[in-house]
Amino acid sequence: MNILIVKLSAIGDVIHALPVSYAIKETYPQARVTWVVEPPARDILVDNPYIDEILLFEKKKFKESLSGFLRNFPPFRKKLKAGHFDIALDLQGLGKSAAIAYFSGAKQRYGTANMRELSNYISKPVSGEHANGHIVERYLDVARAIGCKVNEVRFPVAISERDAKIAKATLKAAGVPEGKRYAVLAVGANWPNKRWSTTNYAALSGWLYNQHIIPVFVGGGALDENLVAEIISKSEIPPVSVVGKTSLKQLASIIKGAKFTIGGDTGPVHLAAGLKIPTIMLMGPTDANRNGPYGQLQNAIEVNRPCRWCWKRACPKGLDCLSAITVDMVCEKIKAVLGD
């Protein structure tokens, strides 16, 4: 049996879907599993023992022009056809993922309960037992629809010895001596209203130092670098930053050594939860029931606003959404997580 998983992006969403690969192989160990993903999230799938092949969907090449589409679509379609897929699982539920599922040639196509952009006409939406529950379980409901038993929810992230060594060296070079306690703080997020303020992060960094825990900021890209620069400028003791200095697997290695991870509804925080590291998530526009730290929903701190869970990328009221979460609230949650 050949099974195609279509989950393209974002990094946090791909992490949420990882247990599907394990669930398939748990029930059908002889199945050949192929995953279609976009470049930013590819690294998290590499060396996953439950994935036999990774197909890269380079969206930019398809969108750059009509000629770009005509040039890149035929070879991509040929790769899909070569998989001789029996089943396609569209976990993205959008027009582009629906097209991939359709052109895969799979006769059986399934998707999640909340499909958009007419993708529900291509793949059968699965409204399972967890249709209103956590997104990890919604994805697993799709696996259950093809007979997967899901006896265990496992997030397979393979960290090579090389990546572990690089992560260790990166931490040391950034200012974390070996053996010292540290916490991972994820400052960034794609949505502006998923980000806690730099002022609050600076205050939290100072508190962590007083607890003899080194604050280590993680992330990537110019925005995260600028945010951390602001935090450092507002801090009495500069926190450590490895922003832009790690791959996803190296980041995973750093997270595995942390006492805990803190941040908004974003990829590194979901990665920490998947790795079963104590994870505190600061939430406003999205709700913990669907997107909170999987297996640790008690560690989500949600804003006390009547408009929470609006699912809007920017606040239409002009509010700083997460400002309702105070530094003291986060410190109390850290104490609870650490058992202090």
Side-chain angles (χ1 to χ4, degrees):
M1 178 165 40
N2 298 320
I3 300 175
L4 179 69
I5 298 173
V6 186
K7 188 60 184 175
L8 306 170
S9 63
I11 291 170
D13 293 336
V14 172
I15 290 166
H16 282 146
L18 284 174
V20 172
S21 66
Y22 176 74
I24 292 171
K25 291 286 193 175
E26 184 184 34
T27 303
Y28 305 114
Q30 302 306 315
R32 179 173 176 80
V33 176
T34 300
W35 193 309
V36 182
V37 70
E38 291 180 22
R42 179 185 180 276
D43 188 36
I44 208 68
L45 302 179
V46 172
D47 295 329
N48 181 334
Y50 309 107
I51 299 174
D52 298 288
E53 184 179 10
I54 299 170
L55 290 184
L56 203 59
F57 178 70
E58 298 183 79
K59 183 175 65 174
K60 287 184 179 179
K61 291 184 178 180
F62 288 83
K63 293 181 68 176
E64 62 186 10
S65 64
L66 177 59
S67 62
F69 178 84
L70 294 175
R71 184 171 60 253
N72 289 285
F73 178 71
F76 180 72
R77 183 181 183 183
K78 185 177 180 180
K79 288 180 182 178
L80 281 175
K81 288 291 186 181
H84 301 290
F85 296 110
D86 303 293
I87 300 172
L89 306 182
D90 178 4
L91 305 183
Q92 196 80 27
L94 296 175
K96 59 184 178 181
S97 58
I100 292 169
Y102 178 79
F103 286 111
S104 74
K107 299 300 182 184
Q108 298 181 57
R109 299 186 296 270
Y110 298 88
T112 60
N114 308 107
M115 305 184 78
R116 295 176 285 165
E117 299 178 1
L118 304 180
S119 58
N120 57 302
Y121 289 98
I122 302 298
S123 300
K124 179 182 177 181
V126 175
S127 185
E129 181 184 349
H130 307 89
N132 296 310
H134 198 281
I135 190 62
V136 169
E137 292 294 344
R138 297 188 198 190
Y139 292 153
L140 286 171
D141 273 348
V142 182
R144 293 180 179 102
I146 64 169
C148 295
K149 298 172 184 176
V150 192
N151 293 320
E152 179 185 357
V153 178
R154 185 182 295 185
F155 292 78
V157 178
I159 303 171
S160 69
E161 184 177 341
R162 179 177 181 273
D163 279 329
K165 286 181 178 179
I166 292 173
K168 185 177 179 180
T170 300
L171 268 181
K172 186 175 181 180
V176 182
E178 189 173 350
K180 290 290 186 180
R181 297 197 306 170
Y182 66 90
V184 166
L185 293 79
V187 64
N190 286 335
W191 297 11
N193 54 354
K194 286 184 180 180
R195 302 179 204 132
W196 207 35
S197 77
T198 56
T199 300
N200 283 344
Y201 271 122
L204 179 62
S205 294
W207 183 85
L208 288 172
Y209 273 123
N210 287 334
Q211 307 303 308
H212 307 291
I213 299 172
I214 300 173
V216 177
F217 282 91
V218 301
L223 175 61
D224 288 2
E225 289 175 358
N226 291 336
L227 291 172
V228 172
E230 282 186 29
I231 293 167
I232 290 173
S233 71
K234 296 175 180 179
S235 302
E236 290 186 18
I237 305 174
V240 169
S241 173
V242 294
V243 172
K245 298 178 181 178
T246 67
S247 68
L248 279 174
K249 294 293 185 66
Q250 291 156 17
L251 172 60
S253 183
I254 288 173
I255 287 172
K256 285 188 73 172
K259 293 295 293 182
F260 55 87
T261 293
I262 296 176
D265 178 0
T266 188
V269 186
H270 292 299
L271 179 57
L275 294 171
K276 301 188 185 305
I277 300 303
T279 303
I280 298 169
M281 190 176 291
L282 315 180
M283 308 189 71
T286 58
D287 65 288
N289 178 63
R290 182 189 187 278
N291 271 42
Y294 184 76
Q296 305 181 46
L297 297 191
Q298 73 278 8
N299 292 338
I301 304 177
E302 298 182 282
V303 299
N304 185 18
R305 298 185 189 274
C307 54
R308 65 181 177 174
W309 315 333
C310 67
W311 289 92
K312 296 186 183 299
R313 289 178 175 267
C315 178
K317 298 180 179 181
L319 298 174
D320 177 357
C321 185
L322 298 189
S323 66
I325 299 175
T326 67
V327 176
D328 285 344
M329 291 167 64
V330 175
C331 293
E332 288 304 310
K333 180 64 72 174
I334 292 171
K335 291 176 184 177
V337 165
L338 295 180
D340 294 347

